[in-house]
Coordinates of all heavy atoms in Angstrom, one line a residue:
M1 N 2.5 -74.9 62.6 CA 3.3 -75.7 61.7 C 2.5 -76.2 60.5 O 3.0 -76.7 59.5 CB 4.0 -76.9 62.4 CG 5.1 -76.6 63.2 SD 6.5 -75.8 62.4 CE 7.9 -76.8 63.0
S2 N 1.2 -76.0 60.6 CA 0.3 -76.6 59.6 C 0.4 -75.7 58.3 O 0.1 -76.2 57.2 CB -1.1 -76.6 60.0 OG -1.5 -75.3 60.4
D3 N 0.9 -74.5 58.4 CA 0.9 -73.7 57.2 C 2.3 -73.6 56.5 O 2.6 -72.7 55.8 CB 0.4 -72.2 57.5 CG 1.3 -71.6 58.5 OD1 2.2 -72.2 59.1 OD2 1.0 -70.4 58.8
V4 N 3.1 -74.6 56.8 CA 4.4 -74.7 56.2 C 4.2 -75.0 54.7 O 3.5 -76.0 54.4 CB 5.3 -75.7 56.8 CG1 6.6 -76.0 56.0 CG2 5.7 -75.3 58.2
P5 N 4.7 -74.2 53.8 CA 4.5 -74.4 52.4 C 5.2 -75.7 51.9 O 6.3 -76.0 52.4 CB 5.0 -73.2 51.7 CG 6.0 -72.6 52.7 CD 5.5 -73.0 54.0
S6 N 4.6 -76.4 51.0 CA 5.2 -77.6 50.5 C 6.4 -77.3 49.7 O 7.3 -78.1 49.6 CB 4.2 -78.4 49.6 OG 3.7 -77.5 48.6
R7 N 6.4 -76.1 49.1 CA 7.6 -75.7 48.3 C 8.2 -74.5 48.9 O 7.5 -73.6 49.4 CB 7.2 -75.3 46.9 CG 7.0 -76.5 46.0 CD 6.9 -76.0 44.5 NE 6.7 -77.2 43.6 CZ 5.8 -77.3 42.7 NH1 4.8 -76.3 42.7 NH2 5.7 -78.3 41.9
P8 N 9.5 -74.4 48.9 CA 10.1 -73.1 49.4 C 9.7 -72.0 48.5 O 9.5 -72.1 47.3 CB 11.6 -73.4 49.2 CG 11.8 -74.5 48.3 CD 10.5 -75.3 48.3
K9 N 9.5 -70.8 49.1 CA 9.1 -69.6 48.4 C 10.2 -68.6 48.4 O 11.0 -68.5 49.3 CB 7.8 -69.1 49.0 CG 6.7 -70.0 48.7 CD 5.4 -69.3 49.0 CE 4.2 -70.3 48.7 NZ 2.9 -69.8 48.9
G10 N 10.2 -67.8 47.3 CA 11.3 -66.8 47.2 C 10.6 -65.4 46.9 O 9.7 -65.3 46.2
A11 N 11.1 -64.4 47.6 CA 10.7 -63.0 47.3 C 11.5 -62.5 46.2 O 12.7 -62.6 46.2 CB 10.8 -62.2 48.5
C12 N 10.8 -61.9 45.2 CA 11.5 -61.3 44.1 C 12.4 -60.1 44.6 O 11.9 -59.3 45.3 CB 10.6 -60.9 43.0 SG 11.3 -59.8 41.8
R13 N 13.6 -60.1 44.2 CA 14.5 -59.1 44.6 C 14.1 -57.7 44.1 O 14.3 -56.7 44.7 CB 15.9 -59.4 43.9 CG 17.0 -58.6 44.2 CD 18.2 -59.0 43.3 NE 17.8 -58.9 41.9 CZ 18.7 -58.6 40.9 NH1 20.0 -58.5 41.3 NH2 18.4 -58.5 39.7
T14 N 13.3 -57.7 43.0 CA 12.9 -56.4 42.4 C 11.6 -55.9 42.9 O 11.4 -54.8 43.4 CB 13.0 -56.5 40.9 OG1 14.3 -56.9 40.5 CG2 12.7 -55.1 40.3
C15 N 10.5 -56.8 42.7 CA 9.2 -56.3 43.1 C 8.7 -56.8 44.5 O 7.7 -56.3 45.0 CB 8.2 -56.7 42.0 SG 7.9 -58.5 41.9
G16 N 9.5 -57.7 45.0 CA 9.2 -58.2 46.4 C 8.1 -59.2 46.5 O 7.7 -59.6 47.6
E17 N 7.5 -59.6 45.4 CA 6.4 -60.6 45.4 C 7.0 -61.9 45.8 O 8.0 -62.3 45.3 CB 5.8 -60.6 44.0 CG 4.4 -61.3 44.1 CD 3.7 -61.2 42.8 OE1 4.0 -60.3 42.0 OE2 2.8 -61.9 42.6
V18 N 6.3 -62.6 46.7 CA 6.7 -63.9 47.1 C 6.0 -65.0 46.2 O 4.8 -65.1 46.1 CB 6.3 -64.2 48.6 CG1 6.7 -65.6 49.0 CG2 7.0 -63.1 49.5
L19 N 6.9 -65.8 45.6 CA 6.4 -66.8 44.6 C 7.1 -68.1 44.9 O 8.2 -68.1 45.5 CB 6.7 -66.3 43.2 CG 6.1 -65.0 42.7 CD1 6.9 -64.4 41.6 CD2 4.7 -65.2 42.3
P20 N 6.4 -69.2 44.5 CA 7.1 -70.5 44.7 C 8.3 -70.5 43.9 O 8.4 -70.0 42.7 CB 6.0 -71.5 44.1 CG 4.7 -70.7 44.1 CD 5.1 -69.3 43.9
L21 N 9.4 -71.2 44.4 CA 10.7 -71.2 43.7 C 10.6 -72.3 42.7 O 11.1 -73.4 42.8 CB 11.8 -71.5 44.7 CG 12.3 -70.3 45.5 CD1 13.2 -70.7 46.6 CD2 13.0 -69.3 44.6
T22 N 9.9 -72.0 41.6 CA 9.9 -73.0 40.5 C 10.2 -72.2 39.2 O 10.2 -71.0 39.2 CB 8.5 -73.5 40.3 OG1 7.6 -72.5 40.0 CG2 8.0 -74.2 41.5
T23 N 10.6 -72.9 38.1 CA 10.9 -72.3 36.9 C 9.7 -71.6 36.2 O 9.9 -70.9 35.3 CB 11.5 -73.3 35.9 OG1 10.6 -74.4 35.8 CG2 12.9 -73.8 36.4
E24 N 8.6 -71.9 36.8 CA 7.4 -71.2 36.3 C 7.4 -69.7 36.6 O 6.9 -68.9 35.9 CB 6.2 -71.9 36.9 CG 4.9 -71.6 36.2 CD 3.7 -72.2 37.0 OE1 3.9 -73.3 37.5 OE2 2.6 -71.6 37.0
H25 N 8.1 -69.4 37.8 CA 8.1 -68.0 38.2 C 9.4 -67.4 38.2 O 9.5 -66.1 38.2 CB 7.5 -68.0 39.7 CG 6.2 -68.5 39.8 ND1 5.1 -67.8 39.4 CD2 5.7 -69.7 40.3 CE1 4.0 -68.6 39.6 NE2 4.3 -69.7 40.2
F26 N 10.5 -68.2 38.1 CA 11.8 -67.6 38.1 C 12.7 -68.3 37.0 O 12.5 -69.5 36.8 CB 12.5 -67.9 39.5 CG 11.9 -67.2 40.6 CD1 10.9 -67.8 41.3 CD2 12.4 -65.9 41.0 CE1 10.3 -67.1 42.4 CE2 11.8 -65.3 42.1 CZ 10.8 -65.9 42.8
H27 N 13.5 -67.5 36.4 CA 14.4 -68.1 35.4 C 15.5 -68.9 36.1 O 15.8 -68.6 37.3 CB 15.1 -67.0 34.6 CG 14.2 -66.4 33.6 ND1 14.0 -65.0 33.4 CD2 13.4 -66.9 32.7 CE1 13.2 -64.8 32.5 NE2 12.7 -65.9 32.0
R28 N 16.1 -69.8 35.4 CA 17.2 -70.6 36.0 C 18.4 -69.8 36.1 O 18.7 -68.9 35.4 CB 17.5 -71.8 35.1 CG 16.5 -72.9 35.1 CD 16.8 -73.9 34.1 NE 15.7 -74.7 33.7 CZ 15.2 -75.8 34.4 NH1 15.9 -76.1 35.5 NH2 14.2 -76.5 34.0
D29 N 19.2 -70.1 37.2 CA 20.5 -69.5 37.4 C 21.4 -70.5 38.1 O 21.3 -70.8 39.3 CB 20.4 -68.2 38.2 CG 21.7 -67.5 38.3 OD1 22.7 -68.0 37.8 OD2 21.7 -66.4 38.9
A30 N 22.3 -71.1 37.3 CA 23.2 -72.2 37.8 C 24.1 -71.7 38.9 O 24.6 -72.4 39.7 CB 24.0 -72.8 36.7
N31 N 24.3 -70.3 38.9 CA 25.3 -69.8 39.9 C 24.6 -69.6 41.2 O 25.3 -69.2 42.2 CB 25.8 -68.4 39.4 CG 26.5 -68.6 38.1 OD1 27.3 -69.5 37.9 ND2 26.3 -67.6 37.2
N32 N 23.3 -69.8 41.3 CA 22.6 -69.5 42.5 C 22.3 -70.8 43.3 O 22.2 -71.9 42.7 CB 21.2 -68.9 42.2 CG 20.9 -67.8 43.1 OD1 21.0 -68.0 44.3 ND2 20.5 -66.7 42.5
A33 N 22.4 -70.7 44.6 CA 22.2 -71.9 45.5 C 20.9 -72.6 45.2 O 20.8 -73.8 45.2 CB 22.3 -71.5 46.9
S34 N 19.8 -71.8 44.9 CA 18.5 -72.4 44.7 C 18.4 -72.9 43.2 O 17.4 -73.6 42.9 CB 17.4 -71.3 44.9 OG 17.6 -70.3 44.0
G35 N 19.3 -72.5 42.4 CA 19.3 -72.9 41.0 C 18.4 -71.9 40.2 O 18.1 -72.1 39.0
L36 N 17.9 -70.9 40.9 CA 17.0 -70.0 40.2 C 17.4 -68.6 40.5 O 18.1 -68.3 41.5 CB 15.5 -70.2 40.8 CG 14.9 -71.6 40.5 CD1 13.6 -71.7 41.4 CD2 14.6 -71.7 39.0
K37 N 17.0 -67.7 39.7 CA 17.4 -66.3 39.8 C 16.6 -65.7 41.0 O 15.5 -66.2 41.4 CB 17.0 -65.5 38.6 CG 18.0 -65.8 37.4 CD 18.0 -64.7 36.4 CE 18.9 -65.0 35.3 NZ 20.3 -64.8 35.7
K38 N 17.1 -64.6 41.5 CA 16.5 -63.9 42.7 C 15.4 -62.9 42.2 O 15.0 -62.1 43.0 CB 17.5 -63.2 43.6 CG 18.4 -64.2 44.2 CD 19.3 -63.5 45.3 CE 19.8 -64.5 46.3 NZ 21.2 -64.9 46.1
Q39 N 15.1 -63.0 41.0 CA 14.2 -62.0 40.4 C 13.1 -62.8 39.6 O 13.5 -63.7 38.9 CB 15.0 -61.2 39.4 CG 14.4 -59.9 38.9 CD 15.3 -59.1 38.0 OE1 16.1 -59.8 37.3 NE2 15.3 -57.8 38.1
C40 N 11.9 -62.4 39.8 CA 10.8 -63.1 39.1 C 10.9 -62.9 37.6 O 11.5 -62.0 37.1 CB 9.4 -62.7 39.7 SG 8.8 -61.1 39.1
R41 N 10.2 -63.8 36.9 CA 10.3 -63.7 35.4 C 9.8 -62.4 34.9 O 10.4 -61.8 33.9 CB 9.4 -64.8 34.8 CG 10.1 -66.1 34.7 CD 9.2 -67.2 34.2 NE 10.0 -68.4 34.0 CZ 10.5 -68.8 32.8 NH1 10.3 -68.1 31.8 NH2 11.2 -69.9 32.7
A42 N 8.7 -61.8 35.4 CA 8.2 -60.6 34.9 C 9.2 -59.5 35.1 O 9.4 -58.7 34.1 CB 6.9 -60.2 35.7
C43 N 9.9 -59.4 36.2 CA 10.9 -58.4 36.4 C 12.1 -58.6 35.5 O 12.7 -57.6 35.0 CB 11.3 -58.3 37.9 SG 10.0 -57.7 39.0
A44 N 12.5 -59.8 35.4 CA 13.6 -60.1 34.5 C 13.4 -59.6 33.1 O 14.2 -59.1 32.4 CB 14.0 -61.6 34.5
C45 N 12.1 -59.8 32.6 CA 11.7 -59.4 31.3 C 11.8 -57.9 31.2 O 12.3 -57.4 30.2 CB 10.3 -59.9 31.0 SG 10.3 -61.7 30.6
D46 N 11.2 -57.2 32.2 CA 11.2 -55.8 32.2 C 12.6 -55.2 32.1 O 12.9 -54.3 31.4 CB 10.5 -55.2 33.5 CG 9.0 -55.4 33.4 OD1 8.5 -55.7 32.3 OD2 8.4 -55.1 34.4
E47 N 13.5 -55.9 32.9 CA 14.9 -55.4 33.0 C 15.6 -55.6 31.7 O 16.3 -54.7 31.2 CB 15.6 -56.1 34.1 CG 16.8 -55.4 34.7 CD 17.5 -56.1 35.8 OE1 18.3 -57.0 35.5 OE2 17.2 -55.8 36.9
A48 N 15.4 -56.8 31.1 CA 16.0 -57.1 29.8 C 15.6 -56.1 28.7 O 16.4 -55.6 27.9 CB 15.7 -58.5 29.4
K49 N 14.3 -55.8 28.8 CA 13.7 -54.8 27.8 C 14.3 -53.4 28.0 O 14.7 -52.8 27.0 CB 12.2 -54.8 28.0 CG 11.5 -54.5 26.7 CD 10.0 -54.7 26.9 CE 9.3 -53.4 26.4 NZ 7.9 -53.3 26.9
A50 N 14.4 -53.0 29.3 CA 14.9 -51.7 29.5 C 16.4 -51.6 29.1 O 16.8 -50.6 28.6 CB 14.8 -51.4 31.0
R51 N 17.1 -52.7 29.4 CA 18.5 -52.7 29.0 C 18.7 -52.6 27.5 O 19.5 -52.0 27.0 CB 19.2 -54.0 29.6 CG 20.7 -53.8 29.8 CD 21.3 -55.1 30.3 NE 20.6 -55.6 31.5 CZ 20.4 -56.9 31.7 NH1 20.7 -57.8 30.8 NH2 19.8 -57.3 32.7
Y52 N 17.8 -53.4 26.8 CA 17.9 -53.4 25.4 C 17.6 -52.1 24.8 O 18.3 -51.6 23.9 CB 16.9 -54.5 24.8 CG 16.7 -54.4 23.3 CD1 17.7 -55.0 22.5 CD2 15.6 -53.7 22.7 CE1 17.6 -54.9 21.1 CE2 15.5 -53.7 21.4 CZ 16.5 -54.3 20.6 OH 16.3 -54.2 19.2
E53 N 16.6 -51.4 25.3 CA 16.2 -50.1 24.8 C 17.3 -49.1 25.1 O 17.5 -48.2 24.3 CB 14.8 -49.7 25.5 CG 13.7 -50.3 24.7 CD 12.4 -50.1 25.4 OE1 12.3 -49.4 26.4 OE2 11.4 -50.8 25.0
A54 N 17.9 -49.2 26.3 CA 19.0 -48.2 26.6 C 20.2 -48.4 25.7 O 20.9 -47.5 25.4 CB 19.4 -48.4 28.1
N55 N 20.4 -49.7 25.3 CA 21.6 -50.0 24.5 C 21.4 -49.8 23.0 O 22.3 -49.6 22.2 CB 22.1 -51.4 24.7 CG 22.8 -51.5 26.0 OD1 23.3 -50.5 26.5 ND2 22.8 -52.7 26.6
S56 N 20.1 -50.0 22.5 CA 19.9 -50.2 21.1 C 20.4 -49.0 20.3 O 20.9 -49.2 19.2 CB 18.4 -50.4 20.9 OG 17.7 -49.3 21.4
V57 N 20.3 -47.8 20.8 CA 20.7 -46.6 20.1 C 22.2 -46.6 19.9 O 22.7 -46.5 18.7 CB 20.3 -45.3 20.8 CG1 20.9 -44.1 20.1 CG2 18.8 -45.2 20.9
A58 N 22.9 -47.0 20.9 CA 24.4 -47.0 20.8 C 24.8 -48.2 19.9 O 25.7 -48.1 19.1 CB 25.0 -47.2 22.2
V59 N 24.1 -49.3 20.0 CA 24.4 -50.5 19.2 C 24.2 -50.2 17.7 O 25.0 -50.5 16.9 CB 23.6 -51.7 19.6 CG1 23.7 -52.9 18.7 CG2 24.0 -52.2 21.0
L60 N 23.1 -49.6 17.4 CA 22.8 -49.2 16.0 C 23.8 -48.3 15.5 O 24.2 -48.4 14.3 CB 21.4 -48.6 16.0 CG 20.2 -49.6 15.7 CD1 18.9 -48.9 15.7 CD2 20.4 -50.3 14.4
A61 N 24.2 -47.3 16.3 CA 25.2 -46.3 15.8 C 26.5 -47.0 15.4 O 27.1 -46.7 14.4 CB 25.4 -45.2 16.9
R62 N 26.9 -47.9 16.3 CA 28.1 -48.7 16.1 C 28.0 -49.5 14.8 O 29.0 -49.6 14.0 CB 28.4 -49.5 17.3 CG 29.9 -49.7 17.5 CD 30.2 -50.0 19.0 NE 29.4 -51.0 19.5 CZ 28.9 -51.0 20.8 NH1 29.2 -50.0 21.6 NH2 28.1 -51.9 21.2
F63 N 26.9 -50.1 14.6 CA 26.7 -51.0 13.5 C 26.8 -50.2 12.2 O 27.4 -50.5 11.2 CB 25.3 -51.6 13.6 CG 24.9 -52.5 12.4 CD1 25.5 -53.7 12.2 CD2 24.0 -52.0 11.5 CE1 25.1 -54.5 11.1 CE2 23.6 -52.8 10.4 CZ 24.2 -54.0 10.2
R64 N 26.1 -49.0 12.2 CA 26.1 -48.1 11.0 C 27.6 -47.7 10.7 O 28.0 -47.6 9.5 CB 25.3 -46.9 11.2 CG 23.8 -47.2 11.0 CD 23.0 -46.0 10.7 NE 21.6 -46.2 11.1 CZ 21.1 -45.7 12.2 NH1 21.9 -45.0 13.0 NH2 19.9 -46.0 12.5
E65 N 28.3 -47.4 11.7 CA 29.7 -46.9 11.6 C 30.5 -48.0 10.9 O 31.2 -47.7 9.9 CB 30.2 -46.7 13.0 CG 31.1 -45.4 13.0 CD 31.4 -45.1 14.5 OE1 32.4 -45.7 15.0 OE2 30.7 -44.3 15.1
R66 N 30.4 -49.2 11.4 CA 31.1 -50.4 10.8 C 30.8 -50.6 9.4 O 31.6 -50.9 8.5 CB 30.9 -51.6 11.6 CG 31.8 -51.7 12.8 CD 32.1 -53.1 13.2 NE 32.4 -53.1 14.7 CZ 31.6 -53.6 15.5 NH1 30.5 -54.3 15.2 NH2 31.9 -53.5 16.8
R67 N 29.5 -50.5 9.1 CA 29.0 -50.7 7.7 C 29.6 -49.7 6.8 O 30.0 -50.0 5.6 CB 27.5 -50.7 7.6 CG 27.0 -51.3 6.3 CD 25.5 -51.4 6.3 NE 24.9 -50.1 6.7 CZ 23.5 -50.0 6.9 NH1 22.8 -51.0 6.8 NH2 23.0 -48.9 7.2
A68 N 29.6 -48.5 7.2 CA 30.2 -47.4 6.4 C 31.7 -47.6 6.1 O 32.2 -47.4 5.0 CB 30.0 -46.0 7.1
E69 N 32.4 -48.1 7.2 CA 33.8 -48.4 7.0 C 34.0 -49.5 6.0 O 34.9 -49.4 5.1 CB 34.4 -48.9 8.3 CG 34.8 -47.7 9.2 CD 35.2 -48.2 10.6 OE1 35.5 -49.4 10.8 OE2 35.1 -47.4 11.5
R70 N 33.2 -50.5 6.1 CA 33.3 -51.6 5.2 C 33.0 -51.2 3.7 O 33.7 -51.6 2.8 CB 32.3 -52.7 5.6 CG 32.8 -54.1 5.2 CD 32.0 -55.2 6.0 NE 30.6 -55.0 5.9 CZ 29.8 -55.1 7.0 NH1 30.3 -55.5 8.1 NH2 28.5 -54.9 6.8
T71 N 32.0 -50.4 3.5 CA 31.6 -49.9 2.2 C 32.7 -49.1 1.6 O 33.1 -49.3 0.5 CB 30.3 -49.1 2.3 OG1 29.3 -49.9 2.9 CG2 29.8 -48.7 0.9
A72 N 33.3 -48.2 2.5 CA 34.4 -47.4 2.0 C 35.6 -48.3 1.6 O 36.3 -48.0 0.6 CB 34.8 -46.4 3.1
Y73 N 35.8 -49.3 2.3 CA 37.0 -50.2 2.0 C 36.7 -50.9 0.7 O 37.6 -50.9 -0.2 CB 37.1 -51.2 3.2 CG 38.1 -52.3 2.8 CD1 39.5 -52.0 2.8 CD2 37.7 -53.6 2.5 CE1 40.4 -53.0 2.5 CE2 38.6 -54.6 2.2 CZ 40.0 -54.3 2.2 OH 40.9 -55.3 1.9
F74 N 35.6 -51.4 0.5 CA 35.3 -52.1 -0.8 C 35.3 -51.2 -2.0 O 35.8 -51.6 -3.0 CB 33.9 -52.8 -0.7 CG 33.9 -54.1 0.1 CD1 32.9 -54.4 1.0 CD2 34.9 -55.0 -0.1 CE1 33.0 -55.6 1.7 CE2 35.0 -56.2 0.6 CZ 34.0 -56.5 1.6
E75 N 34.9 -50.0 -1.7 CA 35.0 -49.0 -2.8 C 36.4 -48.7 -3.2 O 36.8 -48.5 -4.3 CB 34.2 -47.7 -2.4 CG 32.8 -47.8 -2.7 CD 31.9 -46.7 -2.1 OE1 32.5 -45.8 -1.5 OE2 30.7 -46.7 -2.2
K76 N 37.3 -48.7 -2.1 CA 38.7 -48.4 -2.3 C 39.4 -49.4 -3.2 O 40.2 -49.1 -4.0 CB 39.3 -48.2 -0.9 CG 40.6 -47.3 -1.0 CD 41.1 -47.1 0.4 CE 42.0 -48.2 0.9 NZ 42.4 -48.0 2.3
I77 N 39.0 -50.7 -2.9 CA 39.7 -51.8 -3.6 C 38.9 -52.1 -4.9 O 39.1 -53.2 -5.5 CB 39.9 -53.0 -2.7 CG1 38.5 -53.6 -2.3 CG2 40.8 -52.7 -1.5 CD1 38.6 -55.0 -1.7
N78 N 37.9 -51.3 -5.3 CA 37.1 -51.5 -6.5 C 36.4 -52.8 -6.5 O 36.3 -53.5 -7.6 CB 38.0 -51.3 -7.7 CG 38.5 -49.9 -7.9 OD1 37.7 -49.0 -7.7 ND2 39.7 -49.7 -8.3
F79 N 36.0 -53.2 -5.3 CA 35.3 -54.5 -5.2 C 34.0 -54.5 -6.1 O 33.7 -55.5 -6.7 CB 34.9 -54.7 -3.7 CG 34.1 -56.0 -3.5 CD1 34.8 -57.2 -3.4 CD2 32.7 -56.0 -3.4 CE1 34.0 -58.4 -3.2 CE2 32.0 -57.1 -3.2 CZ 32.6 -58.3 -3.0
Y80 N 33.3 -53.4 -6.1 CA 32.0 -53.4 -6.8 C 32.3 -53.3 -8.3 O 31.5 -53.8 -9.1 CB 31.2 -52.2 -6.4 CG 30.8 -52.3 -4.9 CD1 31.2 -51.4 -4.0 CD2 30.0 -53.4 -4.5 CE1 30.9 -51.5 -2.6 CE2 29.6 -53.5 -3.2 CZ 30.1 -52.6 -2.2 OH 29.7 -52.7 -0.9
D81 N 33.3 -52.7 -8.8 CA 33.6 -52.6 -10.2 C 34.1 -53.9 -10.8 O 33.9 -54.2 -12.0 CB 34.7 -51.5 -10.5 CG 34.1 -50.2 -10.1 OD1 32.9 -50.0 -10.1 OD2 34.9 -49.3 -9.8
A82 N 34.7 -54.7 -10.0 CA 35.3 -56.0 -10.4 C 34.3 -57.0 -10.9 O 34.6 -57.8 -11.8 CB 36.2 -56.6 -9.3
A83 N 33.1 -56.9 -10.4 CA 32.1 -57.9 -10.7 C 31.5 -57.8 -12.2 O 31.7 -56.8 -12.8 CB 30.9 -57.8 -9.8
Ligands
ZN101 ZN1 9.5 -59.4 40.4

């Protein structure tokens, strides 16, 4: 019983590393019983980055499409000539 940790520890869902359940190692998650995410900060960052990179191409394409539509619309109503 002497080696009972003073703080509860959590194993990261992704990398399996056991870390103290503090905001130093885990992001907050109000939906979780512990108040913290089940994934360590490092893994959460990796995942966010991977998701961003996977999405960025599609997001950019959509953005360009909308901008082209807007430009076409303004040209149609002679927005640029009016000034
Ligand atoms: Zn991790």
Side-chain angles (χ1 to χ4, degrees):
M1 283 300 227
S2 59
D3 61 355
V4 171
S6 54
R7 277 191 180 129
K9 291 193 178 178
C12 169
R13 184 185 62 148
T14 304
C15 69
E17 196 170 341
V18 178
L19 298 156
L21 281 170
T22 64
T23 52
E24 198 184 322
H25 301 285
F26 294 88
H27 285 132
R28 285 174 201 278
D29 186 357
N31 299 319
N32 221 311
S34 66
L36 298 166
K37 288 201 180 286
K38 292 190 158 104
Q39 194 179 35
C40 75
R41 275 177 175 265
C43 288
C45 285
D46 284 353
E47 203 179 82
K49 209 173 130 198
R51 208 182 305 139
Y52 172 77
E53 277 169 8
N55 283 335
S56 58
V57 175
V59 169
L60 268 177
R62 213 154 46 219
F63 176 76
R64 280 203 206 98
E65 221 170 84
R66 274 208 209 113
R67 191 173 55 186
E69 274 172 23
R70 208 163 51 221
T71 304
Y73 171 74
F74 283 135
E75 274 169 4
K76 205 172 85 184
I77 61 165
N78 291 322
F79 177 83
Y80 296 116
D81 293 338

